[in-house]
Amino acid sequence: MNFEYFIAKRLVQGAEHKISISAPIIKIAIAAIALGIIMMLIAIATAAGLQNKIREKITAFNGHIQIYNYDNNNSEVSVVPVSTEQEFYPNFDIVEGIAHVQAVAMKAGVIRTEETFEGVITKGVGTDYNWEVFQEYLEDGKLPDYTGNLNDEVLMSRRMASRLRLDVGSSFSTIFLKEENPDQIPNQRKFTVVGIYDSGYEDFDELYLFVDIRHIQRMNKWEANEVGNFEVFLNDFDEIDQKSNAIYGKTLSTLDTQNIKGKYGKIFEWISLFDFNVAGIIGIMVIVGGINMITALLVLILERTQMIGVLKALGAADWSIRKVFLYNAAYLICIGLFWGNIIGLGIIWFQHRFRFFKFPNSEEYYIDYIPVQISGLSIIAVNIGVLLLCLLMLLLPSYIITKITPVKAIKFE
């Protein structure tokens, strides 16, 4: 059996260890480690959860990557159509990691009711549109069905419906200017609200109205195989820059690509700051836990000075004695990590399941509750990192053992 481990184990299991003068200090050190790991796990989970939710909302309205005609000049409105007769549509097999491709078209309009009016961007979608991303946001009614003949069903946001005083089943008229000749009589379409959604993203909820893409094709005098642009969904968001370049290289020279990181750069710069905040919290918690463990180690050394003297008198090397106390400290750190993980992961699970904690101002974070998400790899990395960093911090104070002389240590009381 390992000599140092054997001595450390006897010290931990001894009854005098629990009633010694160092017991309260050891408990405080364990509590500090536990509190630190709780704060770290919560910080990681909330930052990752919020980043993921914001990305999901932006992706739901735009896809990860958009393919459009150069002549659109980054306009929200589809100006020049793109043919659907492309090598990458409807299945994007020429680039790996593509989950789905869908064709859409945008057209500006004004909704007019008897009491008020509202400017909107109508987003025309077809049978290839992935409605699964909107299932979570659907509050009332149902999602539109555009698989059959042309119909007047639309999906409207809760914010827009409230301003226009509309509800599921309400009908309204929308006026569309003719881009090629604004002086001509505008197009007019009558729609019926079949579903109301609330994504929590104010900028999108105030703007987008989902309609059958065939309405926009007819008003723009496009062919059935002409659309405004394509939205591409990826399997892995972390590969968005790489896939953007790959897609750009595989499309025609008349087409351009843009990913949501470029289109909404300010938002993604903002959420990237969450990682810096998490790193700061982890650093502070490691320092606090390490200082408490240093205090506990020094008290343990002071309390076991006579034992150190006896071990040195018997021929034990300084490093062996230091390892005894480092093993003891590692045991205490592991206790703190155990309880910290139990409590921290428990809080994260309850928040994920019941959403107890809410944002005081949901408009700033685009979501009303605090989302949480954490991976097993992050949990393992945090625990191993805390254990190793705390032990490294304890190497220096354990050096005091080398300065203890056997004669004085044995006489020490």
Side-chain angles (χ1 to χ4, degrees), residues 77 107-111 118-123 156 160 164 172 174-176 206-209:
V77 177
K107 192 172 183 65
V110 177
I111 296 177
E118 189 85 16
V120 297
I121 296 292
T122 54
K123 181 170 184 176
M156 178 179 287
M160 191 183 298
L164 293 168
F172 60 91
T174 307
I175 299 172
F176 299 92
E206 288 183 340
L207 196 62
Y208 287 109
L209 175 74

Side-chain angles (χ1 to χ4, degrees), residues 35-289:
L35 181 61
I37 200 70
I38 291 170
M39 295 297 296
M40 293 179 204
L41 292 175
I42 292 176
I44 293 172
T46 52
L50 192 56
Q51 287 175 330
N52 186 61
K53 278 297 179 183
I54 293 175
R55 285 199 298 257
E56 282 183 357
K57 289 178 186 292
I58 297 175
T59 303
F61 286 91
N62 300 271
H64 292 107
I65 301 168
Q66 299 85 45
I67 304 174
Y68 52 89
N69 197 303
Y70 268 111
D71 294 334
N72 279 334
N73 296 320
N74 295 327
S75 172
E76 286 289 343
V77 177
S78 303
V79 180
V80 180
V82 181
S83 174
T84 57
E85 296 176 2
Q86 306 286 342
E87 187 180 0
F88 58 79
Y89 184 80
N91 298 315
F92 211 134
D93 298 328
I94 53 179
V95 175
E96 294 183 356
I98 307 299
H100 180 65
V101 183
Q102 57 196 27
V104 299
M106 308 285 193
K107 192 172 183 65
V110 177
I111 296 177
R112 186 185 64 183
T113 66
E114 294 181 357
E115 300 177 341
T116 184
F117 64 92
E118 189 85 16
V120 297
I121 296 292
T122 54
K123 181 170 184 176
V125 301
T127 56
D128 61 348
Y129 195 75
N130 181 18
W131 287 110
E132 290 183 7
V133 295
F134 270 89
Q135 286 287 355
E136 179 184 352
Y137 309 137
L138 186 65
E139 280 200 344
D140 195 10
K142 65 174 185 175
L143 295 172
D145 181 11
Y146 301 140
T147 57
N149 296 327
L150 178 67
N151 61 58
D152 60 359
E153 295 181 352
V154 299
L155 179 67
M156 178 179 287
S157 72
R158 172 64 67 188
R159 185 180 296 271
M160 191 183 298
S162 177
R163 288 184 176 184
L164 293 168
R165 299 179 180 88
L166 299 174
D167 206 341
V168 173
S170 300
S171 297
F172 60 91
S173 296
T174 307
I175 299 172
F176 299 92
L177 292 178
K178 295 180 178 180
E179 282 83 4
E180 67 279 0
N181 193 346
D183 295 332
Q184 292 183 355
I185 298 175
N187 293 306
Q188 182 169 327
R189 291 291 187 277
K190 188 173 184 179
F191 297 114
T192 301
V193 180
V194 296
I196 293 178
Y197 73 90
D198 185 6
S199 72
Y201 202 121
E202 182 179 349
D203 293 344
F204 291 155
D205 288 359
E206 288 183 340
L207 196 62
Y208 287 109
L209 175 74
F210 292 83
V211 305
D212 193 325
I213 193 172
R214 288 170 289 188
H215 284 293
I216 296 179
Q217 289 172 330
R218 288 190 177 187
M219 287 186 287
N220 288 348
K221 297 180 180 180
W222 292 351
E223 300 294 333
N225 64 343
E226 292 181 323
V227 297
N229 61 280
F230 298 94
E231 295 177 345
V232 182
F233 291 82
L234 305 178
N235 291 322
D236 186 359
F237 178 85
D238 294 333
E239 298 181 346
I240 188 169
D241 292 324
Q242 174 188 347
K243 297 303 179 184
S244 294
N245 294 330
I247 290 171
Y248 180 79
K250 294 294 184 179
T251 54
L252 298 175
S253 59
T254 56
L255 300 179
D256 194 12
T257 61
Q258 183 182 39
N259 62 49
I260 55 176
K261 287 177 66 177
K263 188 175 182 179
Y264 302 98
K266 291 183 179 179
I267 295 177
F268 281 92
E269 287 178 6
W270 170 60
I271 64 176
S272 66
L273 294 176
F274 298 168
D275 296 330
F276 177 79
N277 295 336
V278 170
I281 292 173
I282 291 176
I284 292 172
M285 291 297 102
V286 169
I287 292 172
V288 171

Side-chain angles (χ1 to χ4, degrees), residues 334-351:
C334 288
I335 293 177
L337 292 177
F338 172 78
W339 288 111
N341 280 278
I342 293 295
I343 298 172
L345 293 176
I347 293 173
I348 292 171
W349 183 85
F350 274 102
Q351 175 63 14

